[in-house]
Amino acid sequence: MKIKQLLEIQSFLEKRAVPEDLGRLLNLTYYSKSKMQLINIGDMDLTHFVRVFAKMLESNDSPLQNEIDKMRERLDEIEQENNNDNTH
């Protein structure tokens, strides 16, 4: 089932509107390598979205993972600097 459909069902069951910002987010696109085309997130099946999202998190190519790696490297540098300062 598509994410847009699931959100509509959730809205009906919970008697609450879909948050406005989700409209913009659902229109963000993801490039499908298998289909070789851009797909709106809202048009993705939930299972496909979860797999893509998990793959992005596990991938070293994800922007978030790159930022985490940079932060870890910087923390290691700071820790080494502190250790060097404490040994002198």
mmCIF file of all heavy atoms in Angstrom, residues 7 24 53 58 72 78 80 88:
data_model
loop_
_atom_site.group_PDB
_atom_site.id
_atom_site.type_symbol
_atom_site.label_atom_id
_atom_site.label_comp_id
_atom_site.label_asym_id
_atom_site.label_seq_id
_atom_site.Cartn_x
_atom_site.Cartn_y
_atom_site.Cartn_z
ATOM 1 N N LEU A 7 -1.464 7.198 4.983
ATOM 2 C CA LEU A 7 -1.678 8.415 5.759
ATOM 3 C C LEU A 7 -3.149 8.839 5.752
ATOM 4 O O LEU A 7 -3.668 9.327 6.755
ATOM 5 C CB LEU A 7 -0.793 9.543 5.248
ATOM 6 C CG LEU A 7 0.682 9.397 5.611
ATOM 7 C CD1 LEU A 7 1.512 10.422 4.872
ATOM 8 C CD2 LEU A 7 0.886 9.511 7.107
ATOM 9 N N ARG A 24 4.491 18.302 1.528
ATOM 10 C CA ARG A 24 5.767 18.650 0.888
ATOM 11 C C ARG A 24 6.722 17.462 0.929
ATOM 12 O O ARG A 24 7.371 17.131 -0.056
ATOM 13 C CB ARG A 24 6.396 19.848 1.589
ATOM 14 C CG ARG A 24 7.725 20.294 0.999
ATOM 15 C CD ARG A 24 8.365 21.411 1.791
ATOM 16 N NE ARG A 24 8.688 21.042 3.146
ATOM 17 C CZ ARG A 24 9.772 20.337 3.509
ATOM 18 N NH1 ARG A 24 10.625 19.937 2.599
ATOM 19 N NH2 ARG A 24 10.002 20.049 4.772
ATOM 20 N N PHE A 53 14.935 3.296 3.067
ATOM 21 C CA PHE A 53 15.376 4.094 4.204
ATOM 22 C C PHE A 53 16.447 3.352 4.998
ATOM 23 O O PHE A 53 17.487 3.926 5.343
ATOM 24 C CB PHE A 53 14.169 4.435 5.089
ATOM 25 C CG PHE A 53 14.495 5.360 6.214
ATOM 26 C CD1 PHE A 53 14.728 6.702 5.992
ATOM 27 C CD2 PHE A 53 14.563 4.889 7.522
ATOM 28 C CE1 PHE A 53 15.024 7.565 7.035
ATOM 29 C CE2 PHE A 53 14.859 5.738 8.569
ATOM 30 C CZ PHE A 53 15.085 7.070 8.322
ATOM 31 N N GLU A 58 22.218 2.398 6.442
ATOM 32 C CA GLU A 58 23.335 1.455 6.526
ATOM 33 C C GLU A 58 24.464 1.787 5.567
ATOM 34 O O GLU A 58 25.597 1.369 5.763
ATOM 35 C CB GLU A 58 22.833 0.041 6.237
ATOM 36 C CG GLU A 58 21.916 -0.490 7.316
ATOM 37 C CD GLU A 58 21.258 -1.800 6.929
ATOM 38 O OE1 GLU A 58 21.295 -2.164 5.734
ATOM 39 O OE2 GLU A 58 20.695 -2.445 7.823
ATOM 40 N N ARG A 72 32.843 11.661 14.290
ATOM 41 C CA ARG A 72 33.641 10.663 15.010
ATOM 42 C C ARG A 72 35.132 10.910 14.813
ATOM 43 O O ARG A 72 35.910 10.813 15.765
ATOM 44 C CB ARG A 72 33.277 9.258 14.537
ATOM 45 C CG ARG A 72 31.959 8.777 15.080
ATOM 46 C CD ARG A 72 31.688 7.338 14.692
ATOM 47 N NE ARG A 72 30.431 6.903 15.274
ATOM 48 C CZ ARG A 72 29.602 6.083 14.705
ATOM 49 N NH1 ARG A 72 29.871 5.570 13.515
ATOM 50 N NH2 ARG A 72 28.487 5.728 15.294
ATOM 51 N N ILE A 78 40.290 15.218 18.782
ATOM 52 C CA ILE A 78 40.239 15.989 20.028
ATOM 53 C C ILE A 78 40.712 15.138 21.196
ATOM 54 O O ILE A 78 41.479 15.601 22.048
ATOM 55 C CB ILE A 78 38.808 16.528 20.277
ATOM 56 C CG1 ILE A 78 38.466 17.589 19.222
ATOM 57 C CG2 ILE A 78 38.661 17.081 21.691
ATOM 58 C CD1 ILE A 78 37.011 17.998 19.212
ATOM 59 N N GLN A 80 42.790 12.604 21.073
ATOM 60 C CA GLN A 80 44.235 12.441 20.964
ATOM 61 C C GLN A 80 44.969 13.701 21.411
ATOM 62 O O GLN A 80 45.986 13.623 22.094
ATOM 63 C CB GLN A 80 44.630 12.084 19.526
ATOM 64 C CG GLN A 80 44.363 10.646 19.180
ATOM 65 C CD GLN A 80 44.869 10.298 17.784
ATOM 66 O OE1 GLN A 80 45.078 11.175 16.951
ATOM 67 N NE2 GLN A 80 45.059 9.011 17.544
ATOM 68 N N HIS A 88 52.244 15.566 28.657
ATOM 69 C CA HIS A 88 53.387 16.500 28.704
ATOM 70 C C HIS A 88 53.447 17.222 29.986
ATOM 71 O O HIS A 88 52.763 17.584 30.722
ATOM 72 C CB HIS A 88 53.335 17.515 27.543
ATOM 73 C CG HIS A 88 53.574 16.859 26.230
ATOM 74 N ND1 HIS A 88 52.766 17.082 25.152
ATOM 75 C CD2 HIS A 88 54.508 15.966 25.818
ATOM 76 C CE1 HIS A 88 53.189 16.389 24.118
ATOM 77 N NE2 HIS A 88 54.264 15.692 24.509
#
